[in-house]
């Protein structure tokens, strides 16, 4: 009885896998052929036979290295395409064209070093693009030209050093931009222009030391700006004052702060702005001056302006003393003259 049940189970299991002529060996085609899973199948190129009804195609963990032109022309119903952890270095122009229903494309952990204009052709409805752990070093105005509907872009852990102005200019729907763990050194005004829907901007783990004052100004929806683990030693008040979102949380930990009176003043002013939240302010530590290294900014901030306060005090006291002395001298002189006048008039009478 037990064996029979087991056999029955096995038979139904086998038939539900449906190895139809449409399903390539190494893949599993399930759910009315809507899910085609070819993960870890040792493929070195894209499979030839994928059921045309497929909505989710999982090709992760293979050795695919080239995406030829119009690779998915027969799979127009695809909504999710997973290609992470392959060996992709070349996406031919139009490699993903004719995919008008594609919502998510995962290309993370590949070897992509350039994105040509042809890369994004036909991906106008794509909502999520994962490109983390590739070999990109620069982005330009053509990299994402046709991604009008994109909401989430993950570019973390590449080697991105330069981002040309207008690189993201087609993406007015973008809500999350992940650029952490790259090699950015500075941020130029105009880099994030047009990103008026952007809510999350993650720039942690770069080498950013300077930013143009107007760089965050266009980001009127930003709720989280992560600048932790960069090379900032100081910050200009206007750079953050220019963020005109309703409320924005800013992370600034693990930067080599130069704890001087100017820094203390800037932070005091920033913290008084109602729409900005410096969430990790109590975690900021000093790198300069050497005597304050590794001290928390909050533990020393009352003393940072002390030297200046003392100077101001000394000057004030000096001025006061001088004025007082002058007044005293004047008074004494007046009295002496009064006395002399007295004596003179006394002698006359
Ligand atoms: C990955 O692609 C490169 C060429 O881009 C090739 O030399 C290498 O053998 C490929 N590696 C694997 C594991 O397929
Ligand atoms: C971005 O990619 C990294 C690496 O694949 C991943 O760990 C992270 O969760 C991704 N973030 C988002 C928001 O998709
Ligand atoms: C501050 O640092 C501590 C210890 O590293 C950490 O647990 C905490 O989450 C940090 N606080 C914020 C607001 O990031």
């Amino acid at each position: 009885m037990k064996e029979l049940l087991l056999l029955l189970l096995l038979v139904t299991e086998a038939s539900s896998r449906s190895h139809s002529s449409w399903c390539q060996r190494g893949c599993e085609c399930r759910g009315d052929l809507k899910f085609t899973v070819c993960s870890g199948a040792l493929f070195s190129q894209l499979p030839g036979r994928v059921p045309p009804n497929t909505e989710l195609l999982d090709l992760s963990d293979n050795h695919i290295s080239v995406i030829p032109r119009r690779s998915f022309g027969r799979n127009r119903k695809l909504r999710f395409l997973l290609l992470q952890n392959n060996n992709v270095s070349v996406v031919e122009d139009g490699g993903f064209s004719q995919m008008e229903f594609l919502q998510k494309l995962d290309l993370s952990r590949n070897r992509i070093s350039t994105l040509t204009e042809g890369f994004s052709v036909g991906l106008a409805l794509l909502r999520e693009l994962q490109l983390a752990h590739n070999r990109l070093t620069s982005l330009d105005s053509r990299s994402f030209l046709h991604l009008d509907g994109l909401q989430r872009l993950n570019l973390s852990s590449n080697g991105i050093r330069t981002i040309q102005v207008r690189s993201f200019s087609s993406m007015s729907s973008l809500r999350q931009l992940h650029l952490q763990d790259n090699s950015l050194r500075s941020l130029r005004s105009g880099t994030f222009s047009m990103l008026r829907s952007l809510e999350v901007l993650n720039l942690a783990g770069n080498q950013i030391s300077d930013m143009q004052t107007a760089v965050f100004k266009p980001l009127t929806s930003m709720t989280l700006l992560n600048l932790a683990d960069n090379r900032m030693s100081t910050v200009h008040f206007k750079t953050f004052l220019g963020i005109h979102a309703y409320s924005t949380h800013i992370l600034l930990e693990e930067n080599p702060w130069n704890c001087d009176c100017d820094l203390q003043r800037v932070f005091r002013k920033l913290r008084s702005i109602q729409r900005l939240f410096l969430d990790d302010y109590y975690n900021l530590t000093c790198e300069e001056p050497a005597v304050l290294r590794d001290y928390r900014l909050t533990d020393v901030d009352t003393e940072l302006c002390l030297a200046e306060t003392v100077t101001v005090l000394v000057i004030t006291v000096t001025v006061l003393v001088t004025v007082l002395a002058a007044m005293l001298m004047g008074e004494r002189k007046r009295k002496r003259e009064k006395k002399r006048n007295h004596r003179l008039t006394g002698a006359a009478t």
Side-chain angles (χ1 to χ4, degrees), residues 137-153:
T137 54
S138 67
L139 305 176
D140 66 44
S141 57
R142 290 158 307 156
S143 306
F144 307 112
L145 201 58
H146 304 281
L147 298 173
D148 306 320
L150 204 67
Q151 295 184 2
R152 184 190 290 191
L153 177 56

Side-chain angles (χ1 to χ4, degrees), residues 108 130 132-133 152 154 156 176 178:
S108 48
Q130 297 283 348
H133 293 279
R152 184 190 290 191
N154 192 343
S156 60
Q176 296 189 11
H178 299 274

Side-chain angles (χ1 to χ4, degrees), residues 52-315:
N53 277 345
T54 301
E55 292 178 13
L56 182 149
L57 176 56
D58 183 353
L59 291 165
S60 60
D61 306 305
N62 282 288
H63 305 298
I64 297 162
S65 52
V66 179
I67 309 291
R69 202 160 165 261
R70 288 201 195 166
S71 295
F72 304 94
R74 279 188 288 170
N75 295 104
R76 297 213 174 174
K77 293 188 174 164
L78 271 182
R79 292 198 287 143
F80 302 93
L81 176 55
L82 309 180
L83 278 161
Q84 69 268 35
N85 218 357
N86 273 276
N87 191 28
V88 178
S89 56
V90 179
V91 178
E92 289 181 4
D93 278 353
F96 299 107
S97 65
Q98 302 180 313
M99 303 188 77
E100 51 268 85
F101 296 111
L102 198 66
Q103 289 176 17
K104 173 173 172 167
L105 174 57
D106 195 336
L107 280 165
S108 48
R109 298 185 189 274
N110 278 285
R111 295 150 51 102
I112 298 169
S113 57
T114 49
L115 296 173
T116 58
E117 180 180 338
F119 162 77
S120 63
V121 166
L123 293 175
L125 289 187
L126 195 68
R127 291 208 205 133
E128 179 177 336
L129 176 57
Q130 297 283 348
L131 275 167
H133 293 279
N134 274 280
R135 299 183 176 182
L136 296 168
T137 54
S138 67
L139 305 176
D140 66 44
S141 57
R142 290 158 307 156
S143 306
F144 307 112
L145 201 58
H146 304 281
L147 298 173
D148 306 320
L150 204 67
Q151 295 184 2
R152 184 190 290 191
L153 177 56
N154 192 343
L155 291 164
S156 60
S157 304
N158 277 269
I160 299 170
R161 258 173 283 149
T162 53
I163 301 178
Q164 268 185 20
V165 167
R166 303 189 64 76
S167 293
F168 305 117
S169 64
S170 63
M171 295 190 270
S172 54
S173 312
L174 197 67
R175 296 164 87 164
Q176 296 189 11
L177 178 53
H178 299 274
L179 278 163
Q180 67 268 39
D181 301 318
N182 278 288
S183 308
L184 296 169
R185 290 167 183 275
S186 60
L187 298 175
R188 278 184 296 162
S189 297
T191 306
F192 305 118
S193 63
M194 312 301 286
L195 295 180
R196 55 180 171 273
S197 305
L198 197 72
E199 292 164 10
V200 175
L201 177 56
N202 193 342
L203 290 162
N206 279 275
Q207 284 139 44
I208 299 165
S209 58
D210 80 291
M211 301 178 270
Q212 287 188 342
T213 325
V215 66
F216 302 126
K217 211 165 185 171
L219 305 175
T220 50
S221 304
M222 186 163 57
T223 56
L224 177 62
L225 170 62
N226 192 344
L227 280 164
D229 190 12
N230 273 285
R231 307 291 313 151
M232 295 190 299
S233 57
T234 186
V235 40
H236 295 287
F237 179 57
K238 279 191 184 159
T239 309
F240 292 146
L241 183 70
I243 302 173
H244 282 289
Y246 178 67
S247 94
T248 306
H249 294 259
I250 303 175
L251 297 175
L252 294 165
E253 269 184 272
E254 292 179 69
N255 276 284
W257 296 111
N258 179 12
C259 294
D260 60 8
C261 185
D262 284 340
L263 189 74
Q264 199 265 327
R265 285 213 184 107
V266 170
F267 275 121
R268 195 176 49 205
K269 283 195 280 180
L270 285 175
R271 292 175 71 214
S272 71
I273 298 174
Q274 301 262 320
R275 59 180 193 275
L276 300 182
F277 300 90
L278 306 187
D279 287 356
D280 58 4
Y281 178 69
Y282 291 94
N283 277 0
L284 305 190
T285 52
C286 310
E287 174 130 335
E288 297 281 333
V291 285
L292 295 181
R293 179 158 305 163
D294 296 333
Y295 276 89
R296 276 170 201 266
L297 177 61
T298 46
D299 291 341
V300 298
D301 65 352
T302 50
E303 288 137 53
L304 291 180
C305 295
L306 205 62
E308 286 191 22
T309 314
V310 168
T311 314
V312 170
L313 220 69
V314 166
I315 293 171

Side-chain angles (χ1 to χ4, degrees), residues 1-9:
M1 188 62 197
K2 236 183 186 172
E3 278 101 333
L4 199 71
L5 211 67
L6 201 69
L7 197 71
L8 207 70
L9 265 173

